[in-house]
């Protein structure tokens, strides 16, 4: 695409991503508040369960203590705790808390936030460098292990935390912004055009730098991000066992056709590259990223929205290589994918990006944390063959693929990533354009903003979506002139309709648009058909050939063994009778399953069919994000057909 | 089972495994010689291509040089080359050369063998310790990293090399046997009942110790193997990210139900455990291993005989988790699996073990090396989605999963493992019992042995199996009394027949038995139906549901993209019309395929079928072991059905 002339913002939204121009303008936390429903409950659990949980573990594992040791000059390779990227978890926590405090005053949390910032600031060195893993006597030298050291990655998370604070509390005198800009200045000096000709093995600093540039007005940070984006893909990092594709150093960003390699790295990189494309009006780069998104979604994404088929390198597989039982689908990859999609949504205004965000939120982000917000999935399998063992709630799990959620991991990127996403989720609900307002995600909410032409808009969203499919929008003030309301109709929602003050019109997938001089008392109702549906996979996805998935609205359903009739055992011998339509029973969907009993065979590749008998029964499925809350079980999303 | 009374051997066969009793007695290289056909060609390539290739790379990479540095006291962590287990590749090479020299006199090779032995011997320390990675100033202390250090693993390979030499050249004065027994004595001292209460993270020393005990008559080595077998599974190794199952330290060997964890480790351990069970008359342990074999073959083995579904930890997956595109199927796991099966075959005399050996030989061992024996697959995928890049013939490949064969790997266990297997392959052809001779593998061969009762037997095998299914056995001398000839009828060979001097009888899968006082001039012909057949997977193998494989005799066939009609592209859009019987065309099998053209879709999980058109055509398949010899291509074994 050719980028059209930028429309400069008249407000500075309180949001993680604030591009200077694009098709849509984000509405931030001061303009949109989720007031109830599914996501409000998730946010409450995040505030009351997850944030204190993370604070506890950061302290307990010594990852905060590393900063204290650094501040007193007593940090050594021997007494430093945690992996090389442990600083980043502290920063993601600070980002999550910033968003939380931006919406809800909490003096105790504010005090904790400031104390953590002080401890980080105390560890910063005179030239601005801050990282507990490198550069001190006995430690590896600064920037000596760009491939695996995660120094710039940590910096990127620090920048995002600072941006969250700058936007939510612009007048705070806590010092976080200064810590970030001093480090950013150093990075620009060290890695500039004439500096170290390399990049970080884990992309992240790019998007952090752009946003810090946007938040502070320092164009040099954006220029440094551009330099990093252009450098990557030219073989500046060492070749490794997984190949340079692992950290996207195989092909220049603008020349790639699809995301590949480590799925978190790939999505963070793509997010930062969109940021750079927008700020530098680089339409060729944006076109490339748009194409990469399309190909990745069409060929390398699970039905849950999850990404990453390989455990070995936490990476994308080849096209259509999407095994449900070996799905890695790392929680962080989904968080990063949402960031990528969101940036393209703002750039292009196409509903498909919001579709994927919704799918990913309901089926990965909501799946990772337990109901109490104190244990998490790191990987999100679509087929669990063996009941998991409960994780020790008081121990660090060495295994990312623990089959029941675990409270903390040796590599624990996912819990604080979920926390910062949920704490800022209000910012993903709606946007504005020159003509009006777009609503992308449906939750009970209040929206109040001012359009570029000065028109003030206030409205409410009332819904119990996705339990039912009705979404009611009520303007709360009389408009002075016409404006346009656009409501997303998901791609699956064929047969939707829009009712405006009693008049019904069909609503096709995409955005249904209504323009008028709205008045308080108007009622706009979008009806989305959320009845259960059977979804068939593309036949090129070999791993799920001959199987269907059940979806209901944006939610993917799953069969969990605890719901099977007595004596049926686990989910491996089940087939679905698709001639019986799935029945909607509110939280559950009931399907007709048959138990297929294969005889014990000494060799599983016989020329004749196994003898088997079938018993059939109505069996409930549950929302995938609710699975594994009832003790050890087996589970599958894809159900083989009779 | 209860072990029946041992029947002590009257001969010492020249063979890798020589149990003191069991249902069958192995016939070694001095009793069986393969004289032509498929395996003879593989053996020639092994001798002329692979062995010099390995010698070259061992020298070039400095893995032999490590011993020289050790001998002069100048080995340091800085100048030592290769991974922690590089010594073992030298030992596997010595084993392979021992078998080779046992069959074919070759003065140049003998000289090289002796020079390598001298270099190893020079590195041995006064107390018998030999390992280039541990124990010197600056190196880690001996036995300080049992989980990952591979010290005992290397020792096990040294013992197997020494056994090969002892059996093939009992009078050789090269010193290899002394190097091995001195190290074995040290290990017994250090790891005995009152010694270090642990085991090696990679099983291998157990089977090496038993065989060294058998070859030298030292029962203490067998006792030490027994101690190692009993210790493992009690949590003596650290818990790791992959879990203790990775190195089979999760469950005591005798309590396990199935192989699990790292597939090479699991099979070496099982082999050593059978050895211990036999030598200690431990029927309970043997029963357990027999059960583990059955469950592993029924649920965790690819149609090629390959084992290991996980790249991440080179490990078995759960039951029926057998993705063809992510098959790891490590070459070494198959070599180890053959060792396990062979030991159970000798113990029980059941043809199913020889069936799996044959399948694994033709479809994994024969697949790994290129036609010239100078490049290798480490992992043996069953579905290649993207054409591989040719490996640099002059470079070490960092990646085990290189999609075209590579000359050498950073971890290069597989090439010498193939070499030692092929060099000793004659020993897997036939066995003897008190009643007569069993032929398990079909190749042109000569057999000459003496039964326990003193009856001398000589016979020839004439066949071009598996090109055709006729196997002719000719006794070469008149017997003095009746004896029993047993010929294996593979499980797939329904409709076989046996013709003895013109009289035909049906031959059921298992062993077809003929007892008579054989005379020179008798002709026994086994006819196996090798026409192509379609094999369907157990429906619990989700990854290949709705697909069939084509097999012909023991050989699994594959579709390679270079054989597709012009314009069909790669193998991803292909379906097979199973209503058309596969046609046998000698080396190739022709099937009716249709090209399924799925429309480009933005999201691969639609509720409606993709529109697609089909063109159908007769397309040849090739033997899987022949794939990837014609440049970059895609390939699949499992063909989706129309």
């Amino acid at each position: 695409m050719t980028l059209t002339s930028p429309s400069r913002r008249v407000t500075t939204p309180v949001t993680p991503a604030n591009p200077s121009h694009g098709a849509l303008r984000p509405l931030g936390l001061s303009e949109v508040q989720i007031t109830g429903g599914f996501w409000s409950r998730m946010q409450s659990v995040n505030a009351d369960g997850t944030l204190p949980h993370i604070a506890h573990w950061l302290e307990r594992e010594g990852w905060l203590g590393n900063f204290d040791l650094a501040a007193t000059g007593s940090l050594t390779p021997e007494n430093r705790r945690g992996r090389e990227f442990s600083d980043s978890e502290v920063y993601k926590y600070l980002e999550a808390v910033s968003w939380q405090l931006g919406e809800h005053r909490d003096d105790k949390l504010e005090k904790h936030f400031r104390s953590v910032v002080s401890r980080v600031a105390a560890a910063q060195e005179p030239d601005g460098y801050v990282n507990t893993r490198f550069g001190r006597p006995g430690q590896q030298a600064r920037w000596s292990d760009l491939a695996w050291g995660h120094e710039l990655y940590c910096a990127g998370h620090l920048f995002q935390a600072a941006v969250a604070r700058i936007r939510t509390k612009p007048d705070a005198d806590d010092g976080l912004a200064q810590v970030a800009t001093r480090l950013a200045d150093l990075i620009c000096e060290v890695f500039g055009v004439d500096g170290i000709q390399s990049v970080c093995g884990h992309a992240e600093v790019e998007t952090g730098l752009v946003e810090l540039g946007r938040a502070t007005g320092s164009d040099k940070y954006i220029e440094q991000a551009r330099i990093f984006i252009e450098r990557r893909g030219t073989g500046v990092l060492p070749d490794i066992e997984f190949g340079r594709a692992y950290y996207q150093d195989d092909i220049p960003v603008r020349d790639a056709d699809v995301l590949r390699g480590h799925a978190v790295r790939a999505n963070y990189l793509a997010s930062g590259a969109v940021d750079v494309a927008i700020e530098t009006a680089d339409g060729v780069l944006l076109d490339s990223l748009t194409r990469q998104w399309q190909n990745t979604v069409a060929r390398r994404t699970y039905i849950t929205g999850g990404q990453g088929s390989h455990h070995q390198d936490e990476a994308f597989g080849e096209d259509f290589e999407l095994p449900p039982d070996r799905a890695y689908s790392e929680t962080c990859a989904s968080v990063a994918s949402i960031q990528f999609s969101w940036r393209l949504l703002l750039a292009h205004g196409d509903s498909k990006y919001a579709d994927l965000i919704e799918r990913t939120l309901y089926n990965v982000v909501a799946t990772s944390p337990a109901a109490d917000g104190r244990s998490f999935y790191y990987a999100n399998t679509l087929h669990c063959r063996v009941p998991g063992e409960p994780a020790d709630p008081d121990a660090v799990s060495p295994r990312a693929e623990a089959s029941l959620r675990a409270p903390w991991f040796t590599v624990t990127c996912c819990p604080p990533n979920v926390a910062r996403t949920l704490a800022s989720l209000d910012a993903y609900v709606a946007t504005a354009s020159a003509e009006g307002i777009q609503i992308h995600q449906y939750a009970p909410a209040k929206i109040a903003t001012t359009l570029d032409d000065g028109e003030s808009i206030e409205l409410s969203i009332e819904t119990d979506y996705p339990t039912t499919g009705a979404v009611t929008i009520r303007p709360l003030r009389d408009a002075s002139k016409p404006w346009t309301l656009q409501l997303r109709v998901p791609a699956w929602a064929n047969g939707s309709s829009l009712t405006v003050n009693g008049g019904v019109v069909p609503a096709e997938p995409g955005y249904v648009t209504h323009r008028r001089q709205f008045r308080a008392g108007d009622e706009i109702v979008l009806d989305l058909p959320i009845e259960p549906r059977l979804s068939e996979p593309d036949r090129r996805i070999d791993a799920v050939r001959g199987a269907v998935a059940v979806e209901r609205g944006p939610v993917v359903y799953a069969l969990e063994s605890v719901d099977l009739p007595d004596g049926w055992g686990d989910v491996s011998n089940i087939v679905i009778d698709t001639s019986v339509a799935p029945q909607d029973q509110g939280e559950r969907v009931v399907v007709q399953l048959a138990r297929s009993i294969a005889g014990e065979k000494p060799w599983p590749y016989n020329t004749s069919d196994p003898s088997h008998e079938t018993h059939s029964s109505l069996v409930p499925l549950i929302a995938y994000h609710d699975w594994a809350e009832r003790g050890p079980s087996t589970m599958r999303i894809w159900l083989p057909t009779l």
Side-chain angles (χ1 to χ4, degrees), chain A:
Chain A
M1 69 174 278
T2 305
L3 286 175
T4 52
S5 57
S7 60
R8 276 278 161 192
R9 305 303 181 208
V10 294
T11 62
T12 300
V14 181
T15 159
N18 184 21
S20 63
H21 57 272
L24 307 178
R25 167 170 68 86
L27 298 184
L29 305 191
S30 59
E31 295 155 298
V32 183
Q33 293 87 40
I34 295 172
T35 54
F38 182 91
W39 291 111
S40 177
R41 289 192 297 277
M42 292 286 294
Q43 291 186 310
S44 294
V45 169
N46 189 50
D48 301 336
T50 302
L51 289 178
H53 176 84
I54 293 173
H56 165 78
W57 281 89
L58 288 176
E59 203 72 79
R60 169 184 157 148
E61 290 303 303
W63 302 356
L64 270 165
N66 289 338
F67 289 95
D68 305 334
L69 291 169
T72 59
S74 52
L75 186 62
T76 67
E78 289 68 38
N79 65 14
R80 186 184 176 282
R81 306 275 301 278
R83 289 288 300 266
E84 58 273 32
F85 34 72
S86 66
D87 293 1
S88 71
E89 314 311 346
V90 173
Y91 302 147
K92 275 188 280 185
Y93 171 74
L94 288 177
E95 183 188 342
V97 171
S98 293
W99 299 124
Q100 182 64 28
L101 291 169
E103 287 208 281
H104 303 280
R105 177 173 172 156
D106 180 335
D107 292 344
K108 192 175 155 210
L109 186 60
E110 173 75 26
K111 194 174 163 195
H112 186 252
F113 176 88
R114 287 173 176 266
S115 78
V116 173
V117 170
S118 301
R119 293 163 76 180
V120 171
Q124 190 165 37
E125 300 190 35
D127 66 353
Y129 184 84
V130 56
N131 185 296
T132 67
R133 178 63 163 68
F134 290 90
R136 287 169 200 78
Q139 290 185 322
Q140 285 177 264
R142 290 179 189 180
W143 324 121
S144 62
D145 183 15
L146 290 170
W148 297 107
H150 288 75
E151 278 166 291
L152 292 167
Y153 166 87
C154 289
H157 280 298
L158 173 63
F159 301 159
Q160 288 181 321
V163 165
R165 188 65 168 173
I166 291 168
R167 293 197 176 132
T168 51
K169 303 278 179 191
D171 303 323
D173 57 351
D174 52 65
L176 183 57
Q178 289 69 35
V179 173
T181 53
R182 289 179 61 206
L183 177 58
D185 291 342
L186 178 70
I187 288 171
C188 292
E189 200 180 302
V190 173
F191 287 92
V193 173
D194 301 324
I196 298 172
Q197 299 295 305
S198 193
V199 301
C200 185
H202 197 314
E204 158 66 19
V205 73
E206 299 82 359
T207 189
L209 278 168
V210 172
E211 218 59 59
L212 191 65
R214 288 165 171 169
T216 62
S218 292
D219 288 343
K220 71 172 178 178
Y221 301 155
I222 295 169
E223 169 61 10
Q224 184 60 48
R226 190 193 65 75
I227 291 170
F228 282 138
I229 293 292
E230 296 299 338
R231 248 179 221 158
R232 191 180 299 266
T234 62
V236 293
L237 293 171
D239 196 8
I240 53 175
E241 186 183 342
F242 302 141
R244 286 200 176 92
Y246 173 77
Y247 32 45
Q248 295 80 43
D249 192 34
D250 54 334
I251 304 171
V253 178
R254 63 179 65 246
D255 296 339
D257 284 318
V258 68
L259 298 192
R260 68 230 171 273
H262 190 270
V264 185
R265 284 168 164 81
N267 276 289
Y268 280 157
L269 176 65
S271 299
V274 175
D275 292 337
V276 166
I278 293 295
E279 299 309 322
T280 62
D282 186 339
V284 174
L285 181 57
L286 184 61
D287 281 352
S288 168
L289 293 156
T290 303
R291 184 176 68 240
Q292 292 179 46
W293 186 95
Q294 285 166 344
N295 288 335
T296 303
V297 173
R299 304 176 191 170
R300 298 188 174 188
T301 301
Y302 285 100
I303 194 170
T304 55
Q307 295 179 345
S309 310
H310 291 188
H311 283 239
Q312 183 181 33
D313 45 357
E314 307 189 310
F316 284 98
E318 301 296 346
D319 289 351
F320 304 110
E321 184 183 288
L322 293 161
D325 47 1
R326 292 296 287 168
Y328 198 65
S329 182
E330 183 179 341
T331 303
C332 287
S334 286
V335 167
S337 154
I338 289 169
Q339 295 182 6
F340 182 29
S341 295
W342 179 247
R343 282 157 175 77
L344 290 177
L345 177 62
L346 296 178
H348 298 303
D350 189 320
S351 65
K352 66 186 178 186
Y353 304 110
D355 282 1
L356 186 69
I357 290 172
E358 178 180 51
R359 180 178 292 277
T360 308
L361 283 171
Y362 275 107
N363 301 300
V364 187
V365 173
T367 305
S368 172
D372 68 358
R374 293 176 176 273
S375 64
F376 305 85
Y377 277 123
Y378 184 115
N380 297 276
T381 189
L382 277 70
H383 182 175
C384 176
R385 292 175 176 274
V386 176
E389 289 175 34
D392 182 345
D394 200 41
V396 175
S397 172
R399 283 179 279 287
E401 44 185 312
S403 33
L404 289 178
R405 297 171 179 92
W408 202 249
F409 303 94
T410 312
V411 177
T412 216
C413 41
C414 297
N417 232 346
V418 169
R420 67 180 182 139
T421 304
L422 291 174
S424 60
L425 198 64
D426 314 67
Y428 296 89
V429 169
T431 57
S433 66
E435 291 73 36
I437 298 293
Q438 302 79 38
I439 301 180
H440 306 285
Q441 306 300 337
Y442 298 118
K446 300 271 185 207
I447 299 177
T449 190
T450 302
L451 297 185
D452 289 356
D453 63 5
E455 179 73 12
S456 287
I457 291 177
E458 277 184 62
L459 50 81
S460 73
I461 308 175
E462 297 165 16
T463 185
D464 66 350
Y465 179 88
T467 303
T468 68
V471 181
T472 302
I473 316 293
R474 297 185 194 280
L476 300 178
R477 65 158 66 198
D478 295 344
S480 68
K481 53 192 166 191
W483 59 270
T484 301
L485 176 67
Q486 289 182 287
L487 303 176
R488 181 175 61 95
V489 180
W492 48 262
N494 291 305
S496 296
S497 64
L498 187 73
T499 306
V500 181
N501 297 336
V504 184
V505 293
E508 297 298 318
Y511 290 99
V512 58
T513 296
H514 189 78
R515 183 174 181 84
R516 73 160 56 199
Q517 189 166 344
F518 287 100
R519 302 180 63 87
D522 284 349
E523 184 184 78
I524 303 96
V525 181
L526 176 65
D527 277 299
L528 300 169
I530 47 80
E531 63 265 20
R533 61 192 191 278
L534 298 179
S535 296
E536 285 183 20
D538 186 296
R539 67 180 305 146
R540 288 169 291 188
I541 306 176
D542 299 275
V544 292
R545 183 178 296 109
V548 296
V550 176
E551 298 182 88
R552 182 181 177 281
V555 179
V556 175
Y557 278 67
L559 172 66
E560 195 171 358
S561 57
V562 288
D563 291 319
L564 287 171
D566 284 348
W568 282 36
D570 72 42
V571 300
S572 66
N573 289 321
I574 298 301
V575 289
I576 183 170
D577 181 352
T578 55
S579 71
V580 178
Q583 298 169 23
D584 198 350
Q585 297 191 348
E587 293 297 296
R588 297 185 154 204
V589 172
V590 175
V591 292
Q592 185 81 22
L593 296 185
R595 181 185 181 197
S596 160
I597 303 169
E600 278 302 310
K601 295 180 294 180
W603 178 244
Y605 311 100
N606 290 336
T607 49
S608 55
D609 278 324
S611 63
H612 64 277
E613 36 170 339
T614 56
H615 310 285
S616 101
S617 183
L618 288 167
V619 177
L621 309 181
I622 57 160
Y624 170 64
H625 58 236
D626 286 336
W627 92 277
E629 295 280 7
R630 295 173 290 172
S633 65
T634 59
M635 180 278 301
R636 68 189 306 159
I637 286 175
W638 289 102
L639 307 174
T641 54
L642 254 182

